[in-house]
Amino acid sequence: IRNEMDDVPFFDIQLPYELAINIFQYLDRKELGRCAQVSKTWKVIAEDEVLWYRLCQQEGHLPESSISDYSCWKLIFQECRAKEHMLRTNWKNRKGAVSELEHIPDAVLCDVHSHDGVVIAGYTSGDVRVWDTRTWDYTAPFLESDYEEDEPGMQPYVSFVRINSSLAVAAYEDGFLNIWDLRTGRYPIHRFEHDARIQALALSQEDATVATASAFDVVMLRPNEEGYWQIAAEFEVQKLVDYLEIVPDTGRYPVAVATAGDLVYLLKAEDSARTLHYVYGQPVTCLDVSSNQAAFGVKSLGWVYEGNKILVYSLEAERCLSKLGNALGDFTCVNLRDSPPNLMVSGNMDRRVRIHDLRTDTIALSISAHQLGVSSVQMDDWKIVSGGEEGLVSVWDYRMNQKLWEVHSRHPVRHISFNCHSLITAHVPYERVVRNADLDNFVTHRRHRGLIQAYEFAVDRLAFQSTVPICRSSCDTIPGYNYDLALAFPCDDI
């Protein structure tokens, strides 16, 4: 057995083992495989655990693991690559499982959000439900509110819902805000009241920071060191807020970006509201933020028409970095946070999905994706998933400029979230009332209540096979299904 003191033949010189490892660390998997065929000594070096552990970390496999967790990191690397290939193939061929999350009788879906496979939904009945799609246990608990139980039917609609790894938040039409700790129970740990309707809600994905906008005020809430919730910052703005996002990874003091008509504000907890962008008469139509940038769509109006654009601002320098696009339609959605480095994806009322290259300020790809405007969009290193106002969910391989598959439902797609093995979509109705009084008719109610679907492409997690779609509800006793999604939902317009 060799150790780091042994000399390794390296062409016409002898190198210590440790130095040879330092040289081999710059090789990729194919080059390591070629080196392993040179000699027995090089094979020992090329299969060293340190090298294959580092390759796993570089490609994002088991990022939370340490080198001592497994005895053969080359085998682990190969298994991760095989699983990654299987997932990508299943995505392309629409193979996996799909479940329709259980609806609430006599209620219409108002808003949906998700984080890492956990889904939250709010309804016109005032109910808030949470599903953990990672466990395939769809008996979703209700999150209780503090409204009086002796007033049936009087609970206000849910306006917005948000969720992260530990908190769930819901804003109601009457200006109330409930915050739940998902680790402690189904009852609110904090309740906050605004004097007017809440127009925007944001929740940090990393910590316990909540931001709300009501009337001309923006409030940031977070717990103190003792765990008691308090107002961390309060700002006054000049117009009603349309969009609100919390900037990730800002440390001790929370930072948010808010848009109000043609104004964009940078809100820092230790400072007053600062105007990040303002052009009179050019309203902002969408917003997203990353740890150091903000991207928002701007509608061009006035005598000099310049085309609708997306502006990218540096949050640290507080200046515009890029002006992207020159579209006739309004930009309706933009995804900066989830996009690969130096890329950004957007959707527009002109029915097109665009990939923007932030290095060159150009449009890398423009796809005619929908029959009506694009309502939500997300991308990764090889695919785009977009949702439209007509209810169509489309999956594209943008490297090949090819549509892989699509699924249609009745209502606009208001939420899309995916990772390597799962996809969550939400179709939220425009109208929050059921027009037909016959609520006992399941078909009639289904047309108006909205829809949440969870797709799972890691088929090795599922136990049974079926060729028909399954709607999981409280009466379902079968734990899992596996089938071709192409057969699942050909059309939802009954």
Side-chain angles (χ1 to χ4, degrees):
I1 300 176
R2 294 181 178 271
N3 56 48
E4 63 184 21
M5 299 302 295
D6 291 332
D7 288 340
V8 177
F10 207 87
F11 297 101
D12 58 346
I13 60 175
Q14 300 289 322
L15 292 180
Y17 187 86
E18 184 179 24
L19 184 56
I21 289 292
N22 288 335
I23 295 174
F24 275 54
Q25 71 177 342
Y26 297 103
L27 304 180
D28 61 23
R29 57 186 179 84
K30 292 183 179 179
E31 292 167 338
L32 286 177
R34 296 189 185 104
C35 289
Q37 302 176 43
V38 173
S39 66
K40 292 182 179 180
T41 304
W42 279 39
K43 178 178 174 64
V44 171
I45 301 172
E47 294 185 353
D48 191 275
E49 296 300 314
V50 173
L51 299 176
W52 289 97
Y53 170 74
R54 184 171 290 142
L55 278 178
C56 282
Q57 298 297 299
Q58 289 174 353
E59 297 199 8
H61 305 312
L62 306 176
E64 304 298 327
S65 300
S66 64
I67 193 171
S68 60
D69 290 344
Y70 299 96
S71 59
C72 183
W73 277 99
K74 181 179 179 180
L75 180 60
I76 295 298
F77 181 84
Q78 292 171 341
E79 292 176 350
C80 290
R81 294 272 305 180
K83 181 179 179 181
E84 185 180 75
H85 176 74
M86 179 267 293
L87 289 172
R88 184 168 298 196
T89 301
N90 288 352
W91 265 97
K92 290 182 176 181
N93 297 327
R94 196 165 35 162
K95 294 198 64 163
V98 60
S99 289
E100 179 181 325
L101 304 192
E102 179 189 7
H103 71 282
I104 294 179
D106 305 346
V108 178
L109 190 63
C110 293
D111 193 29
V112 176
H113 191 246
S114 65
H115 175 77
D116 193 25
V118 182
V119 184
I120 185 172
Y123 294 84
T124 55
S125 60
D127 292 309
V128 178
R129 300 193 77 173
V130 172
W131 296 265
D132 189 349
T133 65
R134 300 168 300 182
T135 63
W136 289 88
D137 180 7
Y138 287 82
T139 307
F142 287 89
L143 296 180
E144 302 290 347
S145 66
D146 289 337
Y147 290 99
E148 297 294 333
E149 295 184 358
D150 57 355
E151 298 181 2
M154 300 299 292
Q155 193 165 336
Y157 291 2
V158 176
S159 302
F160 304 99
V161 289
R162 296 291 183 269
I163 196 168
N164 63 17
S165 59
S166 59
L167 295 179
V169 185
Y172 298 84
E173 290 286 332
D174 60 354
F176 278 89
L177 179 79
N178 279 336
I179 302 174
W180 295 270
D181 189 332
L182 299 175
R183 299 164 296 186
T184 59
R186 58 195 297 179
Y187 294 95
I189 58 172
H190 184 70
R191 183 173 171 83
F192 187 80
E193 180 181 4
H194 282 281
D195 295 332
R197 180 181 180 273
I198 296 175
Q199 292 143 335
L201 173 66
L203 172 64
S204 172
Q205 297 300 295
E206 289 78 28
D207 56 30
T209 302
V210 178
T212 62
S214 177
F216 299 100
D217 294 321
V218 178
V219 176
M220 289 187 186
L221 304 169
R222 69 186 314 179
N224 59 19
E225 295 179 356
E226 289 76 29
Y228 295 102
W229 282 81
Q230 60 185 12
I231 297 178
E234 190 169 2
F235 308 90
E236 184 176 346
V237 295
Q238 300 177 22
K239 299 180 180 180
L240 298 180
V241 171
D242 301 306
Y243 303 98
L244 180 63
E245 295 287 345
I246 294 177
V247 180
D249 304 324
T250 57
R252 178 179 178 184
Y253 297 103
V255 179
V257 177
T259 73
D262 47 17
L263 285 159
V264 180
Y265 292 99
L266 180 61
L267 309 174
K268 296 183 178 181
E270 77 282 6
D271 199 355
S272 58
R274 303 170 64 91
T275 300
L276 187 66
H277 170 84
Y278 173 62
V279 176
Y280 178 76
Q282 296 191 0
V284 175
T285 57
C286 58
L287 170 69
D288 195 28
V289 297
S290 66
S291 58
N292 55 9
Q293 294 178 336
F296 48 88
V298 175
K299 182 179 179 67
S300 180
L301 298 172
W303 293 103
V304 180
Y305 181 78
E306 299 177 346
N308 301 315
K309 299 180 182 298
I310 290 182
L311 306 184
V312 180
Y313 268 74
S314 167
L315 297 179
E316 183 178 358
E318 299 183 23
R319 66 180 182 87
C320 183
L321 300 176
S322 304
K323 294 184 178 181
L324 304 169
N326 187 15
L328 295 176
D330 298 347
F331 284 98
T332 52
C333 53
V334 59
N335 195 318
L336 173 65
R337 187 181 312 193
D338 301 321
S339 298
N342 302 313
L343 295 178
M344 180 179 67
V345 64
S346 67
N348 196 288
M349 283 298 293
D350 64 6
R351 303 174 293 182
R352 302 192 75 86
V353 171
R354 294 172 173 85
I355 297 179
H356 306 270
D357 190 332
L358 301 181
R359 295 163 296 188
T360 60
D361 294 350
T362 59
I363 296 176
L365 182 65
S366 179
I367 302 172
S368 181
H370 292 274
Q371 302 167 10
L372 297 177
V374 183
S375 54
S376 55
V377 67
Q378 184 182 338
M379 70 178 292
D380 63 9
D381 60 345
W382 68 276
K383 66 179 176 293
I384 298 173
V385 181
S386 62
E389 296 287 343
E390 77 285 352
L392 197 67
V393 175
S394 298
V395 180
W396 297 78
D397 185 339
Y398 65 78
R399 301 169 308 170
M400 305 296 294
N401 195 12
Q402 177 186 11
K403 180 186 288 188
L404 300 176
W405 50 274
E406 63 185 28
V407 178
H408 180 262
S409 186
R410 180 181 179 88
H411 303 290
V413 184
R414 297 300 180 200
H415 178 74
I416 282 177
S417 179
F418 71 81
N419 55 29
C420 64
H421 63 80
S422 65
L423 167 67
I424 294 168
T425 64
H427 301 259
V428 180
Y430 285 115
E431 299 182 17
R432 295 186 175 181
V433 294
V434 178
R435 289 172 289 179
N436 193 312
D438 184 15
L439 293 179
D440 293 332
N441 187 325
F442 175 78
V443 173
T444 302
H445 190 208
R446 179 188 175 117
R447 290 170 63 93
H448 302 286
R449 61 177 169 79
L451 179 68
I452 309 172
Q453 290 177 321
Y455 301 79
E456 178 58 67
F457 300 96
V459 293
D460 57 327
R461 295 185 181 182
L462 307 179
F464 302 98
Q465 292 189 351
S466 173
T467 56
V468 296
I470 181 70
C471 171
R472 299 186 190 279
S473 64
S474 57
C475 60
D476 292 328
T477 58
I478 302 176
Y481 280 88
N482 174 22
Y483 54 92
D484 191 336
L485 300 183
L487 304 175
F489 293 96
C491 182
D492 215 14
D493 280 334
I494 301 175

